[in-house]
Amino acid sequence: MNAAPASLRDEFPLLAATPELHYLDSAATAQIHRLALDAVVRHETTRRANVSRGTYRLAEAADLAYEQARQTAARFLNATSTDEVIFTSGATASLNLVAHAFGGTLKAGDRVVISVAEHHSNFVPWQMLRERTGIELALIPVTAAGQLDLARLPELIDSKCRLVAVTQCSNVTGAWTDVATLVTAARKVGAKVLLDGAQGAQHGPQDVRALGIDFYAFSGHKCFGPGGVGMLWGRGELLAAMPPFLTGGGMIGEVTPQATTWAAPPQRFEAGTPPIAQAVGLAAALEWMMSLDWPQIHAREARLCELMIEGLQRIPGLRLLGPEAQEARAPIVSFEIPGLHPHDICQVLDAHQLALRGGHHCAQPLLAALGAEVCTRASIALYNDEADIAALLDGLGFVLRELA
Ligand code: PLP
């Protein structure tokens, strides 16, 4: 275990170079770890070549690095096989891949169950699938605290249900999903389960086998890696039965003027030149994440989150969105201050070296269900500390004095 939380900030080049910055927007993009950045630079300066094509040594070195990155990702996810791990451009691309490729195996009248709490990237692809194929799209509602209302499962997850596709953790409220209950309900009727891990994977290595799910999607830029890369994990037998999503080079068995056959997964789902250096950088970030003491990090993040919530609750009129119980949420906290627009709040905070996100957070159905149009979000990652929380609470004092 090499986690030394007090010095973690120094391991992130941008944060080390800007000691005055209080970065509280890691749910949007986490800062890149030095090892991930180094791995990208090393790859681009010593092994840059296309993969799966070349027979010269440089291309073979690129191939090896890319496939080693896949092995690292498979370990991070505890996948059964590296063939179950597909590199994509990010969680959005992974989710669209499933909606098209697995969605292509569904027929009119089959039901896909998502939730009101989804990010638009796990919402809109299913609406589009409904338009293309006539599937039924059903929504698990949320409670007043933004948690999935699991009491509604029996009427939604029945014999018509083919897939349950939900977020592991809300990007607005931080609410964790009770995956075990969903998986049990889905298994009873033979439905598959897709977990949008965009907010989950940042909080530690995953065990897709223990979760009992069928698909898992996440983004590299939220896991301390580079942008432009993400993952889709899928159970081998499901991937093997799925048609491709994007088509082109690298994903074929044979092309003749009459017809084309597909390569086996994962290549079937990696048409065109993949994000090679980004995958290598992401693998370095995941390797680093696998070396950390996560129970210690979770305890620390939870303490900071509690401190932030206590401070926010002292602000007259401020409304917190999301679960009360600390263990039910990741360190993502959204709030409304009556009469103040989040964009104005964030601008004033920016002037005080605070980076927060304000808006609808690509989750308009969730915000509508919570009775809000927009809100301000502070998200904590493993490099944040008490000084960031104190600066936020001071900053909100300035906001109230300047804007209220
Ligand atoms: N799902 C959730 C829950 C998210 O929070 C996000 C991004 O914020 C996404 C999906 C989409 O991720 P990306 O923009 O990296 O594709």
Side-chain angles (χ1 to χ4, degrees), residues 23-236:
Y23 189 73
L24 290 167
D25 197 21
S26 299
T29 285
Q31 291 303 326
I32 189 168
H33 191 274
R34 174 172 39 77
L35 291 173
L37 195 58
D38 290 350
V40 173
V41 172
R42 197 174 330 113
H43 184 85
E44 294 289 36
T45 51
T46 64
R47 292 189 300 248
R48 184 178 165 95
N50 214 322
V51 289
S52 317
R53 311 227 199 312
T55 48
Y56 49 92
R57 279 167 297 162
L58 191 63
E60 284 169 359
D63 261 342
L64 186 64
Y66 184 62
E67 292 308 323
Q68 279 173 345
R70 200 189 302 279
Q71 285 169 16
T72 304
R75 272 193 291 116
F76 180 82
L77 295 168
N78 194 27
T80 311
S81 155
T82 49
D83 291 344
E84 297 182 331
V85 172
I86 298 159
F87 283 113
T88 65
S89 63
T92 301
S94 303
L95 295 164
N96 274 275
L97 194 167
V98 181
H100 278 261
F102 180 79
T105 68
L106 302 182
K107 56 182 187 329
D110 286 344
R111 184 184 300 142
V112 171
V113 174
I114 60 173
S115 87
V116 170
E118 300 313 307
H119 187 280
H120 295 163
S121 61
N122 195 36
F123 213 112
V124 184
W126 303 109
Q127 289 179 321
M128 299 291 285
L129 180 69
R130 178 175 61 189
E131 278 175 31
R132 285 197 305 277
T133 65
I135 59 143
E136 192 186 301
L137 185 58
L139 297 182
I140 303 171
V142 290
T143 65
Q147 284 163 309
L148 303 203
D149 185 356
L150 300 181
R152 300 288 299 281
L153 293 192
E155 68 202 73
L156 297 172
I157 304 181
D158 63 12
S159 60
K160 282 176 76 179
C161 177
R162 296 282 171 270
L163 178 73
V164 180
V166 291
T167 189
Q168 187 178 19
C169 169
S170 163
N171 64 308
V172 176
T173 64
W176 287 106
T177 297
D178 176 354
V179 179
T181 299
L182 282 167
V183 167
T184 304
R187 288 287 170 258
K188 268 195 206 147
V189 297
K192 307 301 177 205
V193 179
L194 159 66
L195 210 53
D196 170 2
Q199 294 299 336
Q202 183 185 111
H203 297 288
Q206 301 293 315
D207 187 339
V208 290
R209 282 189 267 176
L211 284 167
I213 55 175
D214 300 287
F215 298 103
Y216 189 83
F218 73 96
S219 291
H221 68 99
K222 296 190 204 285
C223 289
F224 318 108
V229 64
M231 305 288 326
L232 175 69
W233 168 83
R235 272 187 202 278

Side-chain angles (χ1 to χ4, degrees), residues 5-6 295-305 381-385:
Q296 189 191 359
I297 289 170
H298 290 157
R300 189 164 172 277
E301 286 178 345
R303 250 194 341 271
L304 293 179
C305 191
L382 40 68
Y383 37 63
N384 289 116
D385 58 20

Side-chain angles (χ1 to χ4, degrees), residues 209-294:
R209 282 189 267 176
L211 284 167
I213 55 175
D214 300 287
F215 298 103
Y216 189 83
F218 73 96
S219 291
H221 68 99
K222 296 190 204 285
C223 289
F224 318 108
V229 64
M231 305 288 326
L232 175 69
W233 168 83
R235 272 187 202 278
E237 69 274 16
L238 288 176
L239 294 179
M242 281 160 44
F245 168 33
L246 299 177
T247 55
M251 49 70 67
I252 56 97
E254 190 187 5
V255 182
T256 67
Q258 289 73 35
T260 297
T261 59
W262 317 131
Q267 282 75 24
R268 184 184 302 169
F269 302 105
E270 293 185 356
T273 300
I276 305 164
Q278 292 90 330
V280 170
L282 173 57
L286 298 181
E287 196 70 72
W288 173 74
M289 285 180 75
M290 285 189 279
S291 75
L292 300 178
D293 180 348
W294 283 98

